[in-house]
Structures are given as C-alpha cells and as structure tokens.
Amino acid sequence: MNIPTLKYQSQAVAKLYFIAALCLFTGQILFGITLGLQYVIGDLFFPYIPFNIARMVHTNLLIVWLLFGFMGAAYFMVPEESETELWSPLFAKILFWVFLAAGVATILGYLLVPYASLAEWTGNDLLATMGREFLEQPLPTKIGIVVVCLGFLFNISMTVLKGRKTAISLVLLLGLWGLALMFLFSFVNPSNLVRDKMYWWFVVHLWVEGTWELIMASLLAFVLIKTTGVDREVIDKWMYMIVAFALISGILGTGHHFYFIGLPGYWHWVGGVFSALEPIPFFMMTLFAFNMVQRRRREHPNQAAVLWAVGTAVIAFLGAGVWGFIHTLSWVNYYTHGSQVTAAHGHLAFYGAYVLVVLAIISYAMPLMRGREANPMRAQRFEMWSFWIMSIGMAVMVLALSGAGILQVWLQRMPASGTAMSFMATQDQLVFFYWVRVFGGVMFLVGLVTYLSSFFIGPAANEQEVAAIPGSRMHRA
C-alpha cells in the first residue's frame, strides 16, 4: 500500500518496531510499579514473581524496548537522510520478528524458569555470561542480539553507502556501531572481580553515557530539522559540538565508576574531572533545542512532536546532568554509591535522555506512516497531557527516591563507631518515601495510558485531518 506522506515507502518498516517498543514499554512500567509495591509489601506476588525477577524483567524490558525504538528510528530516518529506499525492507522485517521472538522468550524464561536452571539449560557452563545486572540474558539471547544487531547495521550501513551522506546519518551510524561493539564486552566475564566490573562498565556506562548520546543527538537533530525548518548547516554545527563534548567527557567519565572497585587511585581525579564535565553536552542540547525552536521558519502542525523534543533536552539535562553531577565526585560517591540517590539519577536520566527522545521520533513519524502530516489536534492534546502527566509522575518518583537516598546515607552510612543502622533497619525508615514513589509510578502509568490512547483519537467534529501537502517543506527538508 502506497503511503503518500512517506517520501520513501520503505520507511514504513519502522512502524513494526515502534509498536513493539510501546508494548514493551508498557510492560516495563507495570513491572516497575510491582517493584515499587514490593518495597513496602515485601511478599507481594511471592513466590510467583519474587523481587529479584521483577527487577530483572523491569531493567531488561527497558533496554530491549529502547533498542526497538532506536532501530525503528534508524529505519525511518536513514532512507530520508540518504535520499534512497532502505537496502532491504524484507531483511528488516525478518530481523524484527527474530528479535521480538528472542526477547519474549527470554522474558518468559525469567518468569517461568528458576534463574539457575535457565543458566544451566542455556549453556552458561560453556561460556559464563549470566548473573550480572542488566546483562542477565542467557547466552543464546546474547548471541541472538549480536546477530540481529549485525544484520540491522549491515542494512542501515548499506543504505547510507548507496545514498547521500549527512551529518545526522553518520553520527547515528557511529552511535549504533559503537553500541554494538561495546555489547561484545558482555561476553567477557573474567574470574578477577576488578576486571569483571571494569568490563561490565564498558558496556553499561559507554552505552548510556557514550554511544547512546550520539544516537540521542542525531534523533533530536532530525526531529528539530523537520519540525522547525531551520537550515541543516546550523543544526549540524550544534550537533558536532554536542557530540564532541559528549565523547570527551563521557569516555573518561567512565572513571567515576572506577573509584572503589580496586583500580588505581588516579581514577578518582580522572573520573571526577571528566564526570564534572558531563553535564555540559546536555546543557548544550537544551540550548540547542530552545534555539532551534526560537529560530523556526515554520509552524509545524505536529506541535506534540516539538514538545517531546524540547522536553527531551530539558529533562535529560536535569536527570543525566544535574542529578548525575550531585553524586559524581568521589568524596560524595563514597557515601551515595548504590543508594536510592543512584536510583533517582538513573530513573530521571533514562527518562529524559532516551525514553523521551524515542517518544519524540515516534510522535513525529507515526502520523506520517498513517498517511497524515500530524495527528488531529484533539489527539495531540492527549499526547501533550501525557507528556506532562508522565513528567510530573517521574518528578514525584525522583524526589521521593532522592529523599529516601539522603535519609539512607544519613542513617546507614554516615554514622561511625558502630552506631550506623543496618540495611534492613534503614529500609524500614524509608517507607514513607517508598509509598510516595509508588504514587509517582501510578501517575506515570496514567500518563502512559493517556499517550497510548492518543493513537485511537480522531479529529473533533469541527476539525479537519492534517493531510500531507505535496511539495511542502516536510518533503524538501
């Protein structure tokens, strides 16, 4: 079926990825609320969904749905940037079903099979890779991820090679290839605990504070070009500066994870200095987004996409920049490491930097894949409400976790001479904050349901569909 609003019909492949991403996102939030309740009702759903399994499913779903989102974004953006059809839309569809089947099978394995048995059945004895946070996937799943990523990168790279090369597509490719290469460290699991933690951070940190930032910058630049009409040269210059600062600060900023794992003491200085620089690219991203919106040369009918894009820059700066800086210096991190302060930073950073940017590209691309330049205003109002409800719900959660973290440090880690509370006794003192966190989580879920409902809302009685205008800036940008 020909979709008139798409410049290249192969872009429609992205729709599958976006739908899967949103379904998995919903699952992640449901398990997140389950976890929040288990903090205050310890035996909730036990033994069917114990805390450690719920947490594993929650974090793994986060990673998988964001990967689906990144892949969908690449399949949508690259044909338009390269001014050519995707190298193989069929290959993209095959890889989608392989990735989805592997992801669902892995989640079901977590829920239905004891983790030790799952490790035994999936060959962990042959090459031990399981049991580490965020990298709990069985060996066949890890191999499947590598195969899917290589196929995806081949498809995207071939498309770029045969068409126009733009700064956006090249930065996106750099981020995606870096993401795939860093994941290879998940196969390295040495018996030396120091080396093990070091390689683990190569995956976790250099994903979220390295390669993923490049992907985020390219997605944000693409949405802003399309919705503001600002010249590509201007946006490219901003993107180059942001990417340069992100790489300079992010790579050596890995050092803030090396403070207390057995590596040399100079990492306290290296990690502290470069981690303190990490908020800069996020601040630049905020300036970039507001500057582009102020300089816009058109009023794009998809105002919801503009809101998601600007929200990405602002909340990413708060979550990854400000909340990260709060506890990044070693003399602070000595007390806060692994506390609820870390959880507050992690939640706000992931939401601002990666959840919102994926929702921004979905908000921009989905109407086009459904044959219109933008959703009806009534549906966009639902979207914009969902942004505010989710963001306020996240703020409630982050403030609750921050309060819990400060009290946790005060009771459990600051006192000396044996007067500090035990971990469990401290947890009993944090119950109020945990209930507030649950309230914020439920509010976030309401926002997500509002967002999903916007896909099924048509125009008001006195409103016309926003159809594509042949030859409009949307087609020329």
Side-chain angles (χ1 to χ4, degrees):
M1 181 180 70
N2 185 58
I3 304 173
T5 44
L6 290 182
K7 194 171 181 181
Y8 300 94
Q9 294 304 305
S10 57
Q11 290 176 282
V13 169
K15 195 172 180 179
L16 281 173
Y17 286 83
F18 290 154
I19 292 172
L22 293 176
C23 291
L24 296 172
F25 181 29
T26 306
Q28 185 220 340
I29 300 308
L30 290 174
F31 274 92
I33 292 174
T34 301
L35 277 171
L37 286 169
Q38 287 179 336
Y39 266 91
V40 287
I41 309 173
D43 56 355
L44 183 71
F45 299 141
F46 186 84
Y48 306 106
I49 308 178
F51 179 87
N52 64 315
I53 299 298
R55 189 176 187 279
M56 191 163 60
V57 173
H58 176 64
T59 54
N60 277 242
L61 280 175
L62 167 69
I63 295 168
V64 173
W65 90 256
L66 286 177
L67 290 179
F68 268 110
F70 291 160
M71 289 180 182
Y75 283 132
F76 184 84
M77 289 164 52
V78 167
E80 202 161 317
E81 287 294 298
S82 304
E83 296 185 336
T84 180
E85 294 287 359
L86 195 62
W87 185 75
S88 174
L90 176 62
F91 193 33
K93 290 178 183 174
I94 292 171
L95 290 175
F96 167 80
W97 289 110
V98 171
F99 194 29
L100 185 65
V104 170
T106 302
I107 297 298
L108 290 176
Y110 291 160
L111 292 171
L112 301 177
V113 182
Y115 193 68
S117 302
L118 188 63
E120 183 181 351
W121 296 351
T122 54
N124 196 57
D125 291 340
L126 298 175
L127 179 62
T129 66
M130 295 176 69
R132 291 178 294 175
E133 192 179 8
F134 302 120
L135 304 179
E136 297 94 345
Q137 306 85 25
L139 182 60
T141 302
K142 285 194 176 77
I143 294 173
I145 290 173
V146 172
V147 171
V148 168
C149 284
L150 286 177
F152 160 73
L153 287 168
F154 177 75
N155 207 354
I156 291 295
S157 301
M158 291 302 289
T159 307
V160 173
L161 286 174
K162 72 173 182 171
R164 179 180 67 157
K165 283 80 175 170
T166 67
I168 289 179
S169 58
L170 294 177
V171 169
L172 178 66
L173 265 187
L174 182 62
L176 291 171
W177 273 103
L179 182 155
L181 289 173
M182 287 299 114
F183 185 71
L184 295 179
F185 284 102
S186 70
F187 290 89
V188 183
N189 191 5
S191 57
N192 183 303
L193 190 59
V194 175
R195 291 180 56 216
D196 170 45
K197 293 301 290 182
M198 193 174 66
Y199 293 137
W200 183 78
W201 283 118
F202 283 179
V203 183
V204 176
H205 176 93
L206 291 179
W207 264 19
V208 299
E209 294 175 61
T211 59
W212 287 25
E213 284 186 35
L214 306 190
I215 298 169
M216 175 195 173
S218 60
L219 265 61
L220 195 59
F222 179 82
V223 173
L224 287 173
I225 280 182
K226 299 300 176 182
T227 56
T228 65
V230 173
D231 288 340
R232 183 177 286 273
E233 291 74 17
V234 176
I235 287 187
D236 285 353
K237 287 173 185 171
W238 274 93
M239 191 173 61
Y240 283 135
M241 288 193 295
I242 290 168
V243 167
F245 268 95
L247 291 177
I248 291 168
S249 61
I251 292 174
L252 285 173
T254 314
H256 69 245
H257 298 295
F258 295 167
Y259 292 154
F260 311 112
I261 66 171
L263 287 171
Y266 58 74
W267 281 110
H268 288 244
W269 289 101
V270 176
V273 169
F274 285 92
S275 297
L277 298 176
E278 284 191 75
I280 293 177
F282 288 102
F283 183 65
M284 292 172 66
M285 223 173 279
T286 306
L287 294 178
F288 165 56
F290 277 101
N291 193 268
M292 293 308 104
V293 171
Q294 278 188 333
R295 298 171 64 166
R296 65 187 180 278
R297 296 166 56 183
R298 66 174 306 206
E299 290 295 337
H300 196 280
N302 193 340
Q303 288 302 300
V306 177
L307 176 64
W308 290 112
V310 174
T312 298
V314 174
I315 301 180
F317 170 64
L318 293 174
V322 176
W323 253 259
F325 179 76
I326 284 172
H327 67 138
T328 199
L329 301 177
S330 63
W331 54 274
V332 177
N333 196 267
Y334 178 77
Y335 294 101
T336 60
H337 187 80
S339 70
Q340 296 296 343
V341 175
T342 307
H345 161 56
H347 277 77
L348 192 57
F350 265 104
Y351 174 66
Y354 304 120
V355 172
L356 286 183
V357 80
V358 171
L359 295 184
I361 187 74
I362 291 176
S363 179
Y364 172 76
M366 278 299 251
L368 295 170
M369 290 188 284
R370 299 172 76 186
R372 54 200 183 207
E373 190 173 3
N375 283 329
M377 274 314 298
R378 194 161 67 136
Q380 288 193 51
R381 287 192 198 98
F382 268 72
E383 259 194 78
M384 290 190 257
W385 269 108
S386 73
F387 167 82
W388 289 111
I389 297 171
M390 277 196 276
S391 298
I392 294 171
M394 178 56 68
V396 171
M397 279 196 290
V398 168
L399 292 175
L401 288 168
S402 300
I406 293 168
L407 185 58
Q408 181 184 8
V409 170
W410 179 259
L411 296 176
Q412 185 190 337
R413 301 186 178 182
M414 294 290 288
S417 306
T419 58
M421 279 190 178
S422 68
F423 175 80
M424 292 309 294
T426 304
Q427 295 300 308
D428 286 340
Q429 304 301 315
L430 308 181
V431 169
F432 168 75
F433 294 102
Y434 290 153
W435 274 116
V436 176
R437 189 256 297 270
V438 171
F439 173 75
V442 172
M443 191 174 176
F444 191 93
L445 177 63
V446 171
L448 176 58
V449 171
T450 306
Y451 174 71
L452 295 176
S453 69
S454 71
F455 288 96
F456 304 98
I457 292 175
N462 58 350
E463 185 183 352
Q464 290 185 338
E465 288 267 7
V466 183
I469 304 170
S472 67
R473 184 181 298 279
M474 177 189 76
H475 294 273
R476 297 197 302 266

